[in-house]
Amino acid sequence: MNLKGLASYCQECGACAALNAAGPEDNRLVDFIADEVLKSLGNENRPASRPAAPAIPLGVSNRHMHISEGTLRRIFGPGAALDVYRDLYQPGEFASSQTVTIVGPKMRAIQNVRILGPLRMYDQVELSLTDAIG
């Protein structure tokens, strides 16, 4: 796997080493991440294949975007703020009331793409695979 460009994000957690050692069919990176999550939950002595409570909540969103303060101002005007529509599983994260329509290079529009908060330092659009095809 190619790690080019990830060096600026590296926190020296060991994931890069696990990924570099892993082959295409290898689960070492998945095992490493699962072990780190279990440690953060206080279950460091339990194998990743048998996690203990509390369960890890997962949320799925087929399309959403994260935006910066500058992008928020460009889209919604000066002084705009994200309004909380509902809280997400991750503490401090929320789905905002604001949605946008995005248009791809083939002029295909995807409507009602929800903006997630809080604001980030960069813009990121996340789509499902079926949204990306076409």
Side-chain angles (χ1 to χ4, degrees), residues 9-134:
Y9 301 106
C10 187
Q11 302 298 312
E12 298 181 14
C13 64
C16 295
L19 184 59
N20 285 333
E25 300 296 322
D26 200 332
N27 288 328
R28 279 186 262 192
L29 181 60
V30 173
D31 292 340
F32 174 82
I33 293 169
D35 290 342
E36 291 300 308
V37 169
L38 291 171
K39 284 179 191 174
S40 73
L41 295 172
N43 296 315
E44 53 276 321
N45 295 324
R46 190 173 288 278
S49 60
R50 299 178 57 95
I56 302 169
L58 297 176
V60 177
S61 171
N62 59 346
R63 64 176 69 119
H64 64 270
M65 65 187 298
H66 306 274
I67 61 173
S68 65
E69 186 175 345
T71 301
L72 178 69
R73 281 196 310 267
R74 280 193 297 276
I75 296 173
F76 297 104
L82 293 178
D83 301 318
V84 177
Y85 175 67
R86 69 177 176 81
D87 290 324
L88 301 178
Y89 290 113
Q90 299 89 346
E93 302 277 325
F94 62 92
S96 75
S97 299
Q98 290 91 334
T99 62
V100 295
T101 298
I102 58 174
V103 180
K106 295 181 182 178
M107 300 308 292
R108 182 172 164 252
I110 302 174
Q111 298 178 333
N112 300 318
V113 177
R114 180 121 4 232
I115 299 174
L116 301 185
L119 295 174
R120 299 238 176 133
M121 298 298 294
Y122 55 89
D123 299 327
Q124 178 178 336
V125 176
E126 297 182 37
L127 301 173
S128 68
L129 180 60
T130 54
D131 284 333
I133 298 172

